[in-house]
Each structure stands twice: as C-alpha cells, then as structure tokens.
Amino acid sequence: MEREADVSGILGQTVEMLGAAGRAVITYVVVLGLFNGAGGLFGLASADDNIFSARFTDTMWETQTSSALEALFGVCSMVLFVIASYVLLTQMMAATGRPMRNGARFWSFVGMSILAMIGVMIGFVFLVIPGIIVLVRWSAANGFVLTGEHGITGSLGASWEATDGHGLSIFGAGLVVWIGLAVLSSVVLGVAYAGVGGGGGSFSPLLGLATAISGFTEAFGNAVSFAFSIAVFHLVAPADTSVADVFE
C-alpha cells in the first residue's frame, strides 16, 4: 500500500513498521525492559531519570548504592541501549525492503546519533522552536545513515533535504505519537505504582512489579520512536535513497 508523507500516512507506516519488525520489537522491549527494571529494583538507576528507585532491607541493598556501581550500571545501560537500538533499526530497515547494502554501519550510526543529539540540544537552548525544527528535519537520518550511502554528516544533510515540504506533517504525526506514548505511560505507571506509596521505601513484590513495568514501558516508547523515524525515511526518501548529500 502506497502512502503519502502526510500525518495519516506517517502514522500508518509507523504502525506497519512495528508489525513488520514485530519479533525484533518484542526482543528489544523485553531485553531493555528487564535490564532497566533490574537496575531500578536494585537502586542502580536514578529515580530522576524515571527509572525508579527501590531497596531491600538494611541487611541487603539500599537505595544509596555506591557511586561506582551506579556509574557502571549507567555505562552498561548506555552500551546496551545503543547496540540494541542499532539492531532494531537494521531489522526495521530490512522490513521496508531497503536493507543496508554497504556492510555494517554501527559506528556511523553512533556518530550521527551523537551529532544529532548535540544539534537538537543546542536548538532547544535557542527558544525551543529551532530544536523542534531540527528534530523534525533530521527525523529521517537513521534511515539514511543505515543505507550505507551517506556518512555521519551526510545522513543529516540528506534527511534535511528529503523532509523539505513535509515538516508540518512530520511534526503533526510526531505530536500524535508523543501524546499517545505520554498517555500510555501515565496510565500504565499510574496503575502500577498506585499501591506502592505506603511501602515506606522498602522492597515489596508490588514495587518490583512496578519497576519492571516501567522498564518495559520506556523500552516500548523507544521502539515506537525508532519505527517512526524509519517510517518517515521510507516515505520521504526515493527508493534509491539518492537524495543529494549536501554536507559531503
């Protein structure tokens, strides 16, 4: 089914992407959900990052775990997230019928992601609007870098060119996805943590279940965001992905 790069088309393609790469999505959610849930359960993840904090009794783990363990968990979490995200994105690209043609692109993906994150952060510093514009115009960069035809900066440039004229549609579809994920997260976590408040900070089976649910919810949100980015790429890029590489 051919879709246009409008709001309904992007949303429909995102849903189709999640279904086409369903096995990879489930694996991604389970692996990251279990890891993040375990980190919150043992007090290794920061509650400020919305990854919960828990503790056992005084004879075992406490919420204030050593900074070394927290730092190690943070590094392991980041490494796992990057690797798992790359694998998931490659599976989504294959599901579009446009897999990578020039070998592994892991380090290019990492470099592009870091550069994009810095650019978006700088944009948000300047009164938010520039950050939103950059976020929208670079939304297809994951697809471009994974094709192997563009480098780190070239994929961002190709995305900027390809999304020209589609900015409002991408923003509208992204807003719908963001609101949907926010509502889902609020409802699921609200129910999961409903009975935890009176626990006095000590470990309980209910708190353990809530931390696990929160980890899965966060991982699912990430998977949807990646599906959205590949959906945008698939709809705005020509089949040969030969959009001009304006930075290379």
Side-chain angles (χ1 to χ4, degrees):
M1 176 181 178
E2 294 293 329
R3 292 189 172 92
E4 298 294 329
D6 53 19
V7 173
S8 61
I10 294 171
L11 293 176
Q13 189 66 41
T14 299
V15 173
E16 181 178 317
M17 192 64 56
L18 289 169
R23 182 176 298 179
V25 170
I26 292 173
T27 301
Y28 177 89
V29 171
V30 170
V31 170
L32 288 185
L34 288 175
F35 186 84
N36 289 337
L41 182 63
F42 288 98
L44 298 176
S46 172
D48 294 336
D49 295 331
N50 201 24
I51 315 182
F52 359 106
S53 178
R55 70 179 179 186
F56 286 109
T57 59
D58 292 338
T59 58
M60 301 183 70
W61 289 89
E62 297 290 340
T63 49
Q64 299 301 319
T65 55
S66 71
S67 58
L69 285 177
E70 290 178 0
L72 178 61
F73 176 84
V75 171
C76 292
S77 180
M78 179 59 67
V79 171
L80 177 62
F81 171 76
V82 172
I83 294 175
S85 298
Y86 174 77
V87 172
L88 176 59
L89 284 166
T90 59
Q91 293 301 307
M92 288 180 173
M93 285 290 290
T96 68
R98 300 162 70 174
M100 298 181 296
R101 293 194 291 266
N102 296 327
R105 303 287 295 171
F106 178 75
W107 292 113
S108 294
F109 164 70
V110 172
M112 184 276 296
S113 298
I114 293 173
L115 185 59
M117 180 179 65
I118 293 173
V120 171
M121 289 176 62
I122 292 174
F124 275 105
V125 168
F126 292 100
L127 303 177
V128 179
I129 300 299
I132 295 177
I133 293 174
V134 169
L135 192 62
V136 167
R137 298 296 296 273
W138 285 352
S139 58
N142 281 330
F144 280 108
V145 77
L146 291 176
T147 63
E149 297 183 7
H150 301 276
I152 293 174
T153 57
S155 60
L156 297 174
S159 178
W160 188 277
E161 291 292 303
T163 55
D164 186 28
H166 303 291
L168 288 178
S169 296
I170 296 171
F171 173 75
L175 185 62
V176 171
V177 170
W178 181 82
I179 292 174
L181 290 175
V183 171
L184 175 65
S185 178
S186 297
V187 171
V188 171
L189 297 185
V191 172
Y193 281 95
V196 176
S202 59
F203 171 77
S204 71
L206 183 59
L207 180 56
L209 177 62
T211 59
I213 291 174
S214 184
F216 292 130
T217 303
E218 182 181 2
F220 176 72
N222 291 334
V224 173
S225 297
F226 289 132
F228 180 85
S229 72
I230 300 301
V232 171
F233 164 76
H234 185 62
L235 293 176
V236 303
D240 61 0
T241 66
S242 59
V243 175
D245 204 344
V246 298
F247 288 118
E248 292 188 331

